[in-house]
Amino acid sequence: MTMIDKDSDERYMRMALEEAEQAGRRGEVPVGALLIRGERVLARDHNRCIELNDPTAHAEVLVLRKAGEILRNYRLNDTVMYVTVEPCPMCISAMVHGRVSRLVFGAPEPKFGAVDSKFQLLKDNGFNHQMKVHRGVLEKKCIEILKVFFEERRLKQGSSEFGVASSEIRSIKVKAQS
């Protein structure tokens, strides 16, 4: 990866982090995403499952839907998806169906991550579309926003029944430090 690519990846990931912060302020799991083609941001959004009463309203899916409308095509060739957290199986599948060319994510997701952490859906070569993947862009910042959100949520809820467990946060932190 060239320095220009690294700078661009970090710039776009910061935009995704802004979206994640919006989600967190609204009580949603703080995940943000954006889709670009060339230097043009086609769409950006954050998790809105609670707001929309829709279990599929993950940041990635919302971004894919918006980009499809903008391009008037469900095929999103030559695009790059930036997302703060490793996508789940549903989101990876939607990206493959949409023909996203490249995925860039920040933090690993030990419970549902479909690239490396829990599942390796893109390694099986069973799909008719291959997507390039770049991991760990602004990883520490992406982990921190999740960590703070879930710690605050547990204090408010008095429970660990929601989201990533404390041991998983520690696991994520250990991976980020290595």
Side-chain angles (χ1 to χ4, degrees):
M1 173 180 271
T2 66
M3 202 55 163
I4 294 170
D5 290 335
K6 182 179 183 214
D7 291 343
S8 292
D9 283 352
E10 288 182 0
R11 178 170 34 106
Y12 290 122
M13 188 60 75
R14 281 186 187 89
M15 294 169 123
L17 279 162
E18 290 171 6
E19 290 293 331
E21 289 169 355
Q22 284 186 39
R25 285 192 297 271
R26 294 176 173 196
E28 301 274 1
V29 175
V31 177
L34 62 118
L35 191 72
I36 67 161
R37 180 182 275 170
E39 292 295 315
R40 178 182 175 204
V41 176
L42 296 171
R44 55 189 286 174
D45 213 327
H46 50 272
N47 277 0
R48 296 196 295 144
C49 298
I50 297 167
E51 174 188 340
L52 299 176
N53 296 307
D54 179 356
T56 69
H58 291 197
E60 302 95 306
V61 170
L62 295 173
V63 163
L64 292 171
R65 289 175 183 163
K66 287 178 181 179
E69 288 177 20
I70 289 166
L71 297 175
R72 301 176 142 247
N73 196 331
Y74 73 105
R75 295 289 192 218
L76 305 170
N77 298 315
D78 303 317
T79 58
V80 180
M81 174 71 75
Y82 289 87
V83 62
T84 56
V85 178
E86 179 182 3
C88 72
M90 174 186 70
C91 293
I92 286 293
S93 296
M95 284 182 243
V96 168
H97 286 289
R99 304 296 192 262
V100 171
S101 301
R102 184 169 170 249
L103 166 65
V104 180
F105 70 88
E109 212 303 351
K111 287 179 80 174
F112 292 104
V115 177
D116 293 317
S117 300
K118 180 71 173 183
F119 310 101
Q120 293 83 38
L121 294 183
L122 299 176
K123 288 184 181 173
D124 295 336
N125 295 323
F127 292 118
N128 61 341
H129 171 71
Q130 299 300 308
M131 188 177 353
K132 294 177 184 173
V133 178
H134 187 78
R135 303 149 180 81
V137 174
L138 301 181
E139 182 175 2
K140 289 180 182 178
K141 290 181 182 181
C142 293
I143 289 170
E144 185 64 21
I145 195 170
L146 286 168
K147 180 180 174 284
V148 168
F149 174 81
F150 284 113
E151 285 174 353
E152 289 175 0
R153 190 168 183 171
R154 280 190 197 90
L155 288 174
K156 289 178 187 172
Q157 299 285 335
S159 169
S160 64
E161 70 179 276
F162 298 105
V164 180
S166 304
S167 61
E168 290 168 332
I169 289 173
R170 282 191 294 278
S171 168
I172 291 171
K173 285 175 69 175
V174 167
K175 286 181 184 178
Q177 293 170 351
S178 46

